[in-house]
Amino acid sequence: MKSVILYSGGKDSTMAVYHAIQNNDEIYALLSMVSRNKESYMFHVPNIHMVDYCSAAMEIPTIDIATDGIKEEELDDLEASLSRLKEKGVEAVYSGALESTYQRTRIDNICEKLGLKSISPLWHVNPIDYMHMIVDEGFTVIITSVSAYGLDKKWLGRTITHEVIDELVELNEKYGIHPAFE
């Protein structure tokens, strides 16, 4: 199936690429929504500047689409992009959505409207099992941003290991931090 991956440069969208490869999909491109709004409701922005490097490393082309990142209006930019991609034969859209109903329902609705298949392979996976799977599969995940109580600047630059996941579980119990950073 010819697919596009909604890609932010983060671990979850990278794992969506991994799932598309495991499904033997033809990945047409990584679709990167570049929001001018750092507080975008829909699109992740912390590592958006790294997408082209990730794209080159994976040898998958990137399509960068600028959006003002205004709540709900930013969906028009996504829909227009996906509509153009459908004209090029794209049949499915992968996302790295884990638990954000806001993101998932909006992607699903746009895909349904356009006649595209929406695939969220990580939806509601057990976050602890998911993090262990990432490590077990050999991926290197480095913490590049912290914005939750319990995660201080000492976490920046840390690589996720099984031991770090155990620390995240403890922080989850103490502060309610999501172990997969949702």
Side-chain angles (χ1 to χ4, degrees):
M1 183 168 28
K2 189 183 254 188
S3 301
V4 67
I5 317 296
L6 291 176
Y7 195 77
S8 68
K11 71 175 175 16
D12 302 331
S13 58
T14 299
M15 293 312 295
V17 173
Y18 182 66
H19 281 274
I21 291 169
Q22 286 183 317
N23 287 340
N24 294 313
D25 280 11
E26 174 191 346
I27 302 175
Y28 180 79
L30 306 176
L31 179 59
S32 179
M33 301 300 294
V34 183
S35 179
R36 293 179 190 99
N37 177 3
K38 291 184 179 188
E39 302 298 323
S40 169
Y41 277 81
M42 188 67 192
F43 305 114
H44 294 241
V45 297
N47 290 313
I48 205 73
H49 64 285
M50 299 299 293
V51 167
D52 290 335
Y53 298 110
C54 297
S55 168
M58 291 186 279
E59 299 180 347
I60 301 171
T62 301
I63 300 168
D64 294 331
I65 303 297
T67 181
D68 288 331
I70 298 169
K71 188 175 180 180
E72 296 302 318
E73 290 179 24
E74 61 194 341
L75 299 172
D76 296 337
D77 298 322
L78 177 60
E79 184 176 333
S81 301
L82 292 176
S83 180
R84 287 189 298 275
L85 288 166
K86 183 178 179 181
E87 292 171 6
K88 296 179 185 274
V90 168
E91 305 163 274
V93 178
Y94 278 80
S95 73
L98 287 177
E99 293 192 20
S100 173
T101 301
Y102 180 88
Q103 289 175 325
R104 169 112 192 248
T105 57
R106 281 152 180 81
I107 294 165
D108 287 352
N109 290 342
I110 290 170
C111 286
E112 183 177 339
K113 180 178 178 181
L114 297 174
L116 295 167
K117 184 174 182 179
S118 179
I119 303 171
S120 301
L122 309 173
W123 187 245
H124 284 181
V125 296
N126 177 292
I128 298 164
D129 293 343
Y130 170 57
M131 295 297 284
H132 283 293
M133 184 273 303
I134 291 172
V135 172
D136 290 342
E137 291 292 328
F139 287 89
T140 300
V141 175
I142 300 169
I143 299 172
T144 60
S145 175
V146 292
S147 56
Y149 190 67
L151 293 176
D152 58 24
K153 65 183 179 180
K154 292 184 281 187
W155 280 86
L156 290 173
R158 289 188 70 185
T159 300
I160 301 297
T161 63
H162 291 295
E163 294 76 25
V164 169
I165 296 166
D166 291 341
E167 290 179 55
L168 290 169
V169 169
E170 289 176 20
L171 289 174
N172 169 265
E173 292 167 1
K174 186 173 182 179
Y175 299 109
I177 290 173
H178 192 281
F181 302 105
E182 271 293 285

